[in-house]
Amino acid sequence: MRYLIGNWKMNPESDEKAVELARSVEQGVAGIEKVTTIVVPPYPFLGAVHAVLDRTLLGAQDVFWEESGAYTGEVSAHELREVGVRYVIIGHSERRAMGESNVVVNKKLRAVLEEELIAVLCVGESKEIRVKGTTAAQAFVKQQLEDSMKGIKNWKSGIEDNVIIAYEPVWAIGTGEEDDPQDAATMTRFIKQLLVTNYGLRVAVLYGGSTDAANVAGYIETGIIDGVLVGGVSLKADEFIAMARNIERAREVEK
Ligand code: 13P
């Protein structure tokens, strides 16, 4: 399966607009078979958006790790499930930039798995690290994954289908400076091998960072990247739908 996830971030400004966008996506992806399309609105719009979705699935941008109680401002995995959420983005670099550590990301991952939702765990290096070369970038991502996935190895139930990794190099997010598909493929291969070696998990790995309708097929046609996590373009229904189509049509390549 190929994935297209639209992370709306703190947009749009009203629930009418959120519903309109969700409706357009839902209609636009009709007939697209090979792509799982997921939209990820801000918390206040989740319920209204869910009401107009059918083949498109619903994601959340964050979660809190406790089940319930006196945690003002937080939202639990169970509450997310109650409003129709199936996918939860964890450890997005924009949250990490606000101080979210790998320890916190690990707690959130466990909460999502406990609730049997699907975690979209984000990792990715800064420009400062990338300029040092591939080895430095891989070492950074390895540390993020190992710290974020602590305790997952002997998890009670099969979680292969409940973890997706999104490789989003920080310098490529919202900059128009997307990663070269072959470089993203090299990192993806590294991540997949690490997860098999460390946890016995064969998971989907997505790329994120300045993807659009014009460049998306290049990532899929590496044969190893399973889809994309999209920011800016996910707010433009027509182009987002074109991305779904281009992912669907991308050539099958031997892995
Ligand atoms: P852009 O597609 O706007 O670069 O954002 C990527 C992203 O952060 C998705 O989570």
Side-chain angles (χ1 to χ4, degrees), residues 7 9 92 94 168 172-174 209-211 229-232:
N7 175 10
K9 307 191 179 182
H92 193 281
E94 286 154 14
E168 296 204 302
I173 296 177
S210 298
T211 56
L229 176 54
V230 190

Side-chain angles (χ1 to χ4, degrees), residues 3-8 20-21 24-29 32 35 37-39 176 178 209-217 219 228-249:
Y3 293 90
L4 173 63
I5 307 183
N7 175 10
W8 295 359
E20 190 186 316
L21 177 56
S24 305
V25 171
E26 175 67 25
Q27 284 162 11
V29 299
I32 293 180
V35 187
T37 306
I38 300 147
V39 292
E178 77 272 20
S210 298
T211 56
D212 56 28
N215 65 26
V216 70
Y219 295 97
V228 287
L229 176 54
V230 190
V233 170
S234 70
L235 298 169
K236 302 175 194 161
D238 290 349
E239 195 174 348
F240 188 66
I241 293 159
M243 287 185 85
R245 252 186 245 120
N246 292 348
I247 293 173
E248 168 105 339
R249 286 185 200 138

Side-chain angles (χ1 to χ4, degrees), residues 5-12 18 21 38-46 49 58-64 74-75 80 83 85-96 98 100 105 108 112 118-122 168 229-231 234-235:
I5 307 183
N7 175 10
W8 295 359
K9 307 191 179 182
M10 205 166 69
N11 301 289
L21 177 56
I38 300 147
V39 292
V40 190
Y43 285 154
F45 307 146
L46 285 170
V49 166
L58 187 66
Q61 297 175 18
D62 193 18
V63 65
F64 190 58
E74 299 294 351
V75 177
L80 292 176
V83 292
V85 165
R86 289 293 170 268
Y87 292 77
V88 184
I89 295 176
I90 302 175
H92 193 281
S93 68
E94 286 154 14
R95 297 216 56 81
R96 292 177 186 269
M98 291 176 217
E100 191 160 300
V105 172
K108 292 182 173 183
V112 167
I118 300 172
V120 181
L121 173 60
C122 301
E168 296 204 302
L229 176 54
V230 190
S234 70
L235 298 169

Side-chain angles (χ1 to χ4, degrees), residues 21-227:
L21 177 56
R23 268 212 181 94
S24 305
V25 171
E26 175 67 25
Q27 284 162 11
V29 299
I32 293 180
E33 304 284 332
K34 285 191 224 159
V35 187
T36 299
T37 306
I38 300 147
V39 292
V40 190
Y43 285 154
F45 307 146
L46 285 170
V49 166
H50 184 242
V52 300
L53 298 182
D54 180 14
R55 62 180 71 78
T56 309
L57 299 169
L58 187 66
Q61 297 175 18
D62 193 18
V63 65
F64 190 58
W65 57 84
E66 295 289 353
E67 281 177 33
S68 65
Y71 303 104
T72 302
E74 299 294 351
V75 177
S76 73
H78 182 74
E79 288 167 336
L80 292 176
R81 172 182 279 287
E82 282 293 303
V83 292
V85 165
R86 289 293 170 268
Y87 292 77
V88 184
I89 295 176
I90 302 175
H92 193 281
S93 68
E94 286 154 14
R95 297 216 56 81
R96 292 177 186 269
M98 291 176 217
E100 191 160 300
S101 66
N102 286 326
V103 172
V104 165
V105 172
N106 180 245
K107 289 184 186 185
K108 292 182 173 183
L109 176 62
R110 288 157 177 264
V112 167
L113 294 177
E114 283 287 356
E115 194 59 35
E116 296 181 0
L117 295 172
I118 300 172
V120 181
L121 173 60
C122 301
V123 293
E125 81 287 352
S126 64
K127 190 78 179 179
E128 233 180 347
I129 296 168
R130 178 60 168 256
V131 293
K132 292 185 189 156
T134 309
T135 311
Q138 288 180 346
F140 180 82
V141 166
K142 179 172 189 268
Q143 194 68 53
Q144 277 188 322
L145 283 168
E146 289 181 343
D147 291 349
S148 305
M149 295 184 69
K150 245 191 192 124
I152 297 305
K153 186 163 182 174
N154 296 313
W155 198 261
K156 35 205 165 250
S157 54
I159 53 165
E160 202 145 273
D161 296 333
N162 290 73
V163 179
I164 294 175
I165 306 296
Y167 169 57
E168 296 204 302
V170 178
W171 49 271
I173 296 177
T175 57
E177 191 193 339
E178 77 272 20
D179 199 5
D180 178 81
Q182 288 312 322
D183 290 345
T186 301
M187 182 63 91
T188 299
R189 205 167 290 115
F190 173 79
I191 292 170
K192 287 191 174 183
Q193 269 162 13
L194 182 77
L195 263 67
V196 168
T197 309
N198 283 17
Y199 313 100
L201 292 177
R202 269 172 220 289
V203 304
V205 177
L206 316 184
Y207 167 75
S210 298
T211 56
D212 56 28
N215 65 26
V216 70
Y219 295 97
I220 305 302
E221 290 179 355
T222 60
I224 185 121
I225 298 169
D226 300 293

